[in-house]
mmCIF file of all heavy atoms in Angstrom:
data_model
loop_
_atom_site.group_PDB
_atom_site.id
_atom_site.type_symbol
_atom_site.label_atom_id
_atom_site.label_comp_id
_atom_site.label_asym_id
_atom_site.label_seq_id
_atom_site.Cartn_x
_atom_site.Cartn_y
_atom_site.Cartn_z
ATOM 1 N N TYR A 62 72.142 95.736 -1.024
ATOM 2 C CA TYR A 62 71.393 94.894 -0.114
ATOM 3 C C TYR A 62 69.910 94.838 -0.510
ATOM 4 O O TYR A 62 69.300 93.764 -0.554
ATOM 5 C CB TYR A 62 71.535 95.412 1.321
ATOM 6 C CG TYR A 62 71.161 94.389 2.341
ATOM 7 C CD1 TYR A 62 72.134 93.580 2.890
ATOM 8 C CD2 TYR A 62 69.850 94.195 2.721
ATOM 9 C CE1 TYR A 62 71.828 92.609 3.787
ATOM 10 C CE2 TYR A 62 69.522 93.213 3.636
ATOM 11 C CZ TYR A 62 70.506 92.425 4.177
ATOM 12 O OH TYR A 62 70.172 91.460 5.063
ATOM 13 N N PHE A 87 65.510 70.834 -6.999
ATOM 14 C CA PHE A 87 66.713 70.991 -6.183
ATOM 15 C C PHE A 87 67.750 69.916 -6.530
ATOM 16 O O PHE A 87 68.950 70.124 -6.354
ATOM 17 C CB PHE A 87 66.364 70.908 -4.701
ATOM 18 C CG PHE A 87 65.518 72.054 -4.256
ATOM 19 C CD1 PHE A 87 64.250 71.847 -3.759
ATOM 20 C CD2 PHE A 87 65.983 73.362 -4.387
ATOM 21 C CE1 PHE A 87 63.475 72.911 -3.359
ATOM 22 C CE2 PHE A 87 65.199 74.425 -3.990
ATOM 23 C CZ PHE A 87 63.950 74.197 -3.484
ATOM 24 N N ARG A 140 43.543 114.096 26.623
ATOM 25 C CA ARG A 140 43.221 114.799 27.865
ATOM 26 C C ARG A 140 44.427 114.810 28.765
ATOM 27 O O ARG A 140 45.256 113.915 28.748
ATOM 28 C CB ARG A 140 42.069 114.127 28.592
ATOM 29 C CG ARG A 140 40.813 114.084 27.773
ATOM 30 C CD ARG A 140 39.772 113.231 28.488
ATOM 31 N NE ARG A 140 38.586 113.034 27.656
ATOM 32 C CZ ARG A 140 37.606 113.915 27.598
ATOM 33 N NH1 ARG A 140 37.629 115.016 28.313
ATOM 34 N NH2 ARG A 140 36.560 113.701 26.789
ATOM 35 N N ARG A 180 36.504 80.563 30.853
ATOM 36 C CA ARG A 180 36.335 80.492 32.325
ATOM 37 C C ARG A 180 35.709 81.782 32.852
ATOM 38 O O ARG A 180 34.845 81.758 33.720
ATOM 39 C CB ARG A 180 37.686 80.237 32.989
ATOM 40 C CG ARG A 180 38.020 78.759 33.037
ATOM 41 C CD ARG A 180 39.285 78.523 33.834
ATOM 42 N NE ARG A 180 39.231 79.171 35.142
ATOM 43 C CZ ARG A 180 40.328 79.511 35.822
ATOM 44 N NH1 ARG A 180 41.511 79.283 35.312
ATOM 45 N NH2 ARG A 180 40.211 80.057 36.994
ATOM 46 N N TRP A 211 43.703 93.389 18.551
ATOM 47 C CA TRP A 211 44.451 93.651 19.801
ATOM 48 C C TRP A 211 45.901 94.047 19.505
ATOM 49 O O TRP A 211 46.436 94.970 20.099
ATOM 50 C CB TRP A 211 44.401 92.396 20.678
ATOM 51 C CG TRP A 211 45.149 92.497 21.969
ATOM 52 C CD1 TRP A 211 44.745 93.127 23.094
ATOM 53 C CD2 TRP A 211 46.440 91.939 22.262
ATOM 54 N NE1 TRP A 211 45.703 93.007 24.073
ATOM 55 C CE2 TRP A 211 46.744 92.274 23.585
ATOM 56 C CE3 TRP A 211 47.357 91.192 21.520
ATOM 57 C CZ2 TRP A 211 47.935 91.870 24.191
ATOM 58 C CZ3 TRP A 211 48.546 90.791 22.130
ATOM 59 C CH2 TRP A 211 48.821 91.155 23.448
ATOM 60 N N GLN A 226 48.403 115.556 18.087
ATOM 61 C CA GLN A 226 49.256 116.556 18.743
ATOM 62 C C GLN A 226 49.674 117.675 17.795
ATOM 63 O O GLN A 226 50.012 118.753 18.211
ATOM 64 C CB GLN A 226 50.518 115.885 19.289
ATOM 65 C CG GLN A 226 50.279 114.878 20.369
ATOM 66 C CD GLN A 226 49.681 115.506 21.606
ATOM 67 O OE1 GLN A 226 48.461 115.434 21.808
ATOM 68 N NE2 GLN A 226 50.486 116.167 22.412
ATOM 69 N N LYS A 272 49.708 90.805 4.609
ATOM 70 C CA LYS A 272 50.780 89.833 4.594
ATOM 71 C C LYS A 272 50.945 89.101 5.921
ATOM 72 O O LYS A 272 51.912 88.352 6.108
ATOM 73 C CB LYS A 272 52.090 90.491 4.156
ATOM 74 C CG LYS A 272 52.508 91.675 4.966
ATOM 75 C CD LYS A 272 53.811 92.251 4.372
ATOM 76 C CE LYS A 272 54.374 93.384 5.212
ATOM 77 N NZ LYS A 272 55.567 94.002 4.669
ATOM 78 N N SER A 300 54.189 76.367 -0.944
ATOM 79 C CA SER A 300 55.636 76.291 -1.116
ATOM 80 C C SER A 300 56.282 75.357 -0.116
ATOM 81 O O SER A 300 57.111 74.543 -0.488
ATOM 82 C CB SER A 300 56.265 77.691 -0.963
ATOM 83 O OG SER A 300 55.946 78.497 -2.077
ATOM 84 N N ARG B 10 56.476 124.298 21.497
ATOM 85 C CA ARG B 10 55.190 124.978 21.688
ATOM 86 C C ARG B 10 55.040 125.471 23.153
ATOM 87 O O ARG B 10 55.354 124.721 24.068
ATOM 88 C CB ARG B 10 54.071 124.010 21.368
ATOM 89 C CG ARG B 10 52.750 124.690 21.181
ATOM 90 C CD ARG B 10 51.662 123.663 21.018
ATOM 91 N NE ARG B 10 51.800 122.903 19.774
ATOM 92 C CZ ARG B 10 51.237 121.732 19.590
ATOM 93 N NH1 ARG B 10 50.516 121.183 20.521
ATOM 94 N NH2 ARG B 10 51.367 121.108 18.442
ATOM 95 N N TYR B 27 40.046 110.386 35.046
ATOM 96 C CA TYR B 27 40.531 109.944 33.739
ATOM 97 C C TYR B 27 41.664 108.931 33.902
ATOM 98 O O TYR B 27 41.778 107.968 33.146
ATOM 99 C CB TYR B 27 41.022 111.130 32.895
ATOM 100 C CG TYR B 27 39.905 111.973 32.339
ATOM 101 C CD1 TYR B 27 39.895 113.356 32.521
ATOM 102 C CD2 TYR B 27 38.861 111.366 31.653
ATOM 103 C CE1 TYR B 27 38.853 114.130 32.033
ATOM 104 C CE2 TYR B 27 37.828 112.149 31.131
ATOM 105 C CZ TYR B 27 37.826 113.527 31.335
ATOM 106 O OH TYR B 27 36.812 114.258 30.837
ATOM 107 N N MET B 38 43.584 95.803 27.986
ATOM 108 C CA MET B 38 44.551 95.601 26.911
ATOM 109 C C MET B 38 45.717 94.704 27.343
ATOM 110 O O MET B 38 46.243 93.937 26.544
ATOM 111 C CB MET B 38 45.101 96.946 26.421
ATOM 112 C CG MET B 38 44.281 97.635 25.389
ATOM 113 S SD MET B 38 44.215 96.748 23.830
ATOM 114 C CE MET B 38 45.821 97.144 23.116
ATOM 115 N N THR B 59 43.909 76.740 36.392
ATOM 116 C CA THR B 59 44.867 77.818 36.556
ATOM 117 C C THR B 59 44.206 78.947 37.363
ATOM 118 O O THR B 59 43.169 79.429 36.991
ATOM 119 C CB THR B 59 45.255 78.392 35.181
ATOM 120 O OG1 THR B 59 45.679 77.323 34.362
ATOM 121 C CG2 THR B 59 46.380 79.394 35.323
ATOM 122 N N GLN B 126 58.713 97.759 1.787
ATOM 123 C CA GLN B 126 57.927 97.431 2.972
ATOM 124 C C GLN B 126 56.569 96.827 2.612
ATOM 125 O O GLN B 126 55.858 96.348 3.475
ATOM 126 C CB GLN B 126 57.740 98.682 3.839
ATOM 127 C CG GLN B 126 59.083 99.244 4.265
ATOM 128 C CD GLN B 126 58.989 100.131 5.472
ATOM 129 O OE1 GLN B 126 58.124 100.999 5.533
ATOM 130 N NE2 GLN B 126 59.884 99.942 6.424
ATOM 131 N N ASN B 135 60.096 82.667 -0.128
ATOM 132 C CA ASN B 135 59.972 81.712 -1.221
ATOM 133 C C ASN B 135 61.211 81.727 -2.117
ATOM 134 O O ASN B 135 61.794 80.703 -2.440
ATOM 135 C CB ASN B 135 58.725 82.071 -2.037
ATOM 136 C CG ASN B 135 58.134 80.906 -2.774
ATOM 137 O OD1 ASN B 135 58.397 79.750 -2.430
ATOM 138 N ND2 ASN B 135 57.380 81.185 -3.824
ATOM 139 N N ASN B 142 69.305 77.514 -0.650
ATOM 140 C CA ASN B 142 69.558 76.107 -0.905
ATOM 141 C C ASN B 142 70.796 75.943 -1.801
ATOM 142 O O ASN B 142 71.660 75.109 -1.563
ATOM 143 C CB ASN B 142 68.314 75.462 -1.524
ATOM 144 C CG ASN B 142 68.457 73.948 -1.595
ATOM 145 O OD1 ASN B 142 68.761 73.309 -0.592
ATOM 146 N ND2 ASN B 142 68.243 73.399 -2.780
ATOM 147 N N LEU B 155 71.401 87.687 7.650
ATOM 148 C CA LEU B 155 71.221 88.422 6.382
ATOM 149 C C LEU B 155 69.728 88.623 6.093
ATOM 150 O O LEU B 155 69.304 89.724 5.713
ATOM 151 C CB LEU B 155 71.854 87.624 5.242
ATOM 152 C CG LEU B 155 73.363 87.711 5.123
ATOM 153 C CD1 LEU B 155 73.897 86.651 4.172
ATOM 154 C CD2 LEU B 155 73.771 89.102 4.629
ATOM 155 N N ALA B 285 57.050 105.692 9.622
ATOM 156 C CA ALA B 285 55.837 105.471 8.862
ATOM 157 C C ALA B 285 55.379 106.664 8.056
ATOM 158 O O ALA B 285 55.050 106.539 6.890
ATOM 159 C CB ALA B 285 54.719 105.052 9.819
#
Side-chain angles (χ1 to χ4, degrees):
Chain A
Y62 199 93
F87 294 118
R140 299 173 187 276
R180 275 186 51 203
W211 178 78
Q226 296 297 100
K272 56 182 185 183
S300 288
Chain B
R10 196 187 292 161
Y27 286 128
M38 274 294 283
T59 307
Q126 301 200 314
N135 205 21
N142 189 51
L155 282 167

